[in-house]
Amino acid sequence: MENEGNPSVVQPGLGDVAVATPPSLRRIVVPVDGSPFAERALPVATWVARALETPIHLVEVVARPAGTEPAIHYLDGLARRYAAPSWDVAPGDDPAGAIIAATDADPPSIVCLATHGRDRSATILGSVATRLLDRTTRPVMLVGPEARPPCAGDSPVVVAVDGVDEADDAALVRVALAWATALATGVVIATVAEPVPGSFHEGRPLHRARGPSDPEGYVAGLTARAAHAGTVATTRVIYDPINVRDGLVRLVDRTAALLVMGAHRRTRPLRALFGSHAARVVHDVAVPALVVPLDRG
């Protein structure tokens, strides 16, 4: 069960969410390794590059000196195919570090990375993506096995909020508004909540295993407080009895352009990433996922 959405125009000066500005990126860093799977990030990167008028920068990490020459020929051909004006061969055995260095070389930049299609949640995003998310302070665009560029120009940006920390959710909404402005589209502020029966005791609040206690009121409040003139924001609440993954994957189909979601690192071990449900959302969702680090600035 889900609501039909409440479209509204987000007005300036309605709350404490700062006015969102379109992301101003210097380049889109796409890590490749010679495999067709890694190249799956390139159509998404090309879509972002055209929409934001931002160049693509290819990078391949080579652990052995003998691999430098083949990598040069490979990157040169790939750059011609995808109109990437720059590329680099990074020697070493630390792909995540090399990717971060490529973004730091010309800030602000963003990484667009294809993730591995594995079944176990611990490895569902692949070791490079896991290490990158653990170390970076910037959003990372992840392209899962099912992800493709949007099929329509008016496909909205969907931002997933969970009601655990309202400040974090407001930050995610701000990021989503910035991208929606840059892509000239709307925003869907969505949450997944556990459906629970009403209490037998009048006035007693509902207790949900996941989702805000008042899902519709919560997403409506984020919409009303989002200070961004001219952007159409729609709220969606998905009631799913199983888990967050099922609800979000059902919502974020090919009619969306991008999914914005948060990543926490305060208490999780490295391999846990940012929750098994969120990892599976990235793995299964039909569009790219912009993962925003919430606890590192």
Side-chain angles (χ1 to χ4, degrees):
M1 171 173 130
E2 55 189 74
N3 70 353
E4 294 300 322
N6 302 308
S8 60
V9 176
V10 180
Q11 298 295 335
L14 295 180
D16 56 4
V17 179
V19 175
T21 56
S24 177
L25 300 176
R26 297 284 297 173
R27 62 185 183 182
I28 302 164
V29 177
V30 183
V32 293
D33 58 8
S35 70
F37 186 87
E39 292 180 16
R40 290 186 62 260
L42 283 164
V44 172
T46 300
W47 160 64
V48 177
R50 290 173 178 170
L52 304 186
E53 298 183 352
T54 304
I56 293 174
H57 176 79
L58 305 175
V59 60
E60 182 174 1
V61 181
V62 177
R64 296 183 300 275
T68 301
E69 191 67 25
I72 290 174
H73 290 291
Y74 167 69
L75 289 172
D76 182 65
L78 202 63
R80 295 174 188 272
R81 284 166 51 196
Y82 287 94
S86 63
W87 50 264
D88 189 28
V89 177
D93 55 2
D94 181 14
I99 294 168
I100 292 173
T103 62
D104 290 343
D106 195 7
S109 298
I110 192 170
V111 177
C112 183
L113 175 68
T115 66
H116 290 291
R118 300 176 179 174
D119 293 330
R120 297 178 181 177
S121 61
T123 59
I124 204 163
L125 294 182
S127 60
V128 174
T130 302
R131 293 170 184 169
L132 177 63
L133 286 169
D134 187 66
R135 295 164 60 180
T136 187
T137 60
R138 298 186 179 93
V140 176
M141 187 168 293
L142 297 179
V143 182
E146 304 300 322
R148 304 289 188 277
C151 54
D154 60 351
S155 300
V157 174
V158 179
V159 53
V161 298
D162 59 14
V164 173
D165 187 317
E166 192 170 357
D168 284 347
D169 287 342
L172 290 175
V173 171
R174 185 166 62 248
V175 171
L177 285 167
W179 278 82
T181 299
L183 298 174
T185 188
V187 171
V188 177
I189 303 175
T191 192
V192 179
E194 179 192 30
V196 294
S199 173
F200 291 109
H201 301 280
E202 185 177 354
R204 179 172 295 181
L206 300 178
H207 295 283
R208 305 179 190 275
R210 57 190 169 276
S213 58
D214 176 16
E216 283 82 6
Y218 185 76
V219 293
L222 285 172
T223 301
R225 292 168 47 206
H228 185 80
T231 297
V232 176
T234 302
T235 61
R236 293 291 296 273
V237 175
I238 304 94
Y239 289 94
D240 193 284
I242 307 300
N243 56 43
V244 173
R245 176 263 173 211
D246 289 357
L248 277 180
V249 171
R250 188 169 69 249
L251 169 65
V252 187
D253 56 18
R254 294 285 295 134
T255 61
L258 181 68
L259 171 64
V260 177
M261 60 195 312
H264 289 277
R265 297 172 178 78
R266 295 187 187 97
T267 58
R268 69 169 180 82
L270 174 63
R271 297 300 294 174
L273 198 60
F274 49 97
S276 60
H277 289 309
R280 290 194 176 277
V281 169
V282 174
H283 178 266
D284 296 336
V285 78
V287 300
L290 186 70
V291 181
V292 182
L294 293 173
D295 52 351
R296 293 193 178 179

